[in-house]
Amino acid sequence: MVSAASLADDLSLALRLADAADAESMKRFDRADLSVSLKADRSHVTEADLAAESAIRALIENERPDDAIFGEEYGSTRPAARRWILDPIDGTANFLRGVPAWGTMIALEIDGTIALGVVSMPALGRRWWAGTGLGAWTNGAAEPRRIAVSGVPTLDEASLSFQSIAQWRDAGHLDDLLRLQARVWRDRAYGDVWAYMLLAEGRLDIVGEFDVKEYDIAAAAAIVREAGGRFTSLEGSDQLDTLSAIATNGHLHTAVLEALAEAAE
């Protein structure tokens, strides 16, 4: 069992990891000479993605040498009970176009359970963090403030972020999305990790996306859950390796999953 004191120690390290990543990404953000290439899956990777993940890994290897690491750009190290899960820049397409809605995601999994998460969006001057039993927080104007999901109880009052039409279409769920959209109050595609953070702050009520890896969602899941929300797959599993993610304020979760299941029938 992980003590609150040791988890607080890990969270303090995670915040320093985010500082290191921010330093690398911000000095490259919105630069005309940014180096960009395509990975095997045809997604973009920039020199900032690589530099930010390298900076995070170097600190972990120095301060937690026995821990495993799983990152988007450099893959996995050996297995271990403690595993850091990293997405150095979530929203690389935004980053390379100079759009400030991108962020670094850092999570720590202990014995198969996500124990903490940090999301840093330095171009917006925002950061969020959470640890099991430690609450979910964001940087306020003067000091950190605790955050919580909304209390919206029904779909017809809910605000939905669907991430992108292409994701839902390519996953074969576009018709499901349109049926769900017709039942909610408002829909927008805020995109990437920012949508989950808006949910954790109570500004959105539902977020859904597909074709996601663990590093795309682990930190967000930790923060949403500690803020009082629910974060599962489309099928309702708490596992993060299912390639789908449905996050809600908790009150709406069953209704959302049922609505999507009805649409799929």
Side-chain angles (χ1 to χ4, degrees):
M1 186 173 196
V2 181
S3 71
S6 73
L7 190 58
D9 233 23
D10 287 324
L11 186 54
S12 177
L13 171 59
L15 291 167
R16 288 192 288 117
L17 298 177
D19 290 339
D22 289 353
E24 295 297 333
S25 56
M26 283 304 291
K27 68 186 179 187
R28 294 170 171 85
F29 179 57
D30 210 20
R31 282 182 47 171
D33 61 348
L34 180 72
S35 174
V36 183
S37 57
L38 286 176
K39 295 190 280 191
D41 64 0
R42 307 301 293 170
S43 63
H44 292 94
V45 61
T46 73
E47 61 181 287
D49 295 83
L50 302 175
E53 186 168 324
S54 293
I56 297 170
R57 283 175 174 266
L59 266 173
I60 294 172
E61 288 163 0
N62 183 59
E63 302 206 21
R64 300 288 192 277
D66 295 328
D67 290 0
I69 304 172
F70 173 39
E72 179 175 10
E73 306 307 337
Y74 292 109
S76 297
T77 60
R78 73 213 175 290
R82 291 166 48 93
R83 182 175 68 143
W84 294 89
I85 303 174
L86 315 173
D87 189 345
I89 297 181
D90 184 73
T92 296
N94 282 341
F95 186 94
L96 64 87
R97 293 292 299 270
V99 177
W102 53 270
T104 293
M105 305 179 71
I106 299 165
L108 175 62
E109 177 187 75
I110 302 176
D111 295 326
T113 299
I114 301 299
L116 66 81
V118 173
V119 169
S120 190
M121 300 184 71
L124 294 179
R126 296 298 310 279
R127 183 175 290 185
W128 300 261
W129 60 94
T132 303
L134 300 176
W137 301 81
T138 191
N139 55 331
E143 58 185 25
R145 64 178 176 85
R146 195 160 187 165
I147 58 174
V149 296
S150 76
V152 170
T154 60
L155 289 177
D156 61 357
E157 300 174 78
S159 183
L160 160 72
S161 178
F162 53 82
Q163 300 292 52
S164 82
I165 289 288
Q167 275 189 351
W168 287 73
R169 180 196 65 218
D170 294 347
H173 290 283
L174 181 56
D175 288 343
D176 305 351
L177 171 63
L178 294 176
R179 292 188 185 99
L180 177 61
Q181 176 274 330
R183 295 183 60 182
V184 301
W185 165 61
R186 192 168 190 265
D187 64 277
R188 291 291 186 274
Y190 294 99
D192 302 307
V193 68
W194 192 31
Y196 294 112
M197 297 304 96
L198 292 171
L199 172 66
E201 289 189 341
R203 305 181 194 281
L204 283 177
D205 312 301
I206 307 163
V207 178
E209 66 175 328
F210 292 89
D211 193 29
V212 284
K213 313 298 190 297
E214 288 178 272
Y215 48 71
D216 293 313
I217 54 177
I223 295 167
V224 167
R225 289 168 176 169
E226 195 63 19
R230 285 195 63 192
F231 201 113
T232 73
S233 70
L234 180 68
E235 295 74 29
S237 168
D238 289 330
Q239 295 300 117
L240 301 180
D241 59 357
T242 64
L243 301 182
S244 65
I246 302 294
T248 74
N249 64 359
H251 307 288
L252 298 168
H253 209 82
T254 298
V256 169
L257 294 184
E258 287 178 351
L260 292 171
E262 288 168 8
E265 290 173 356

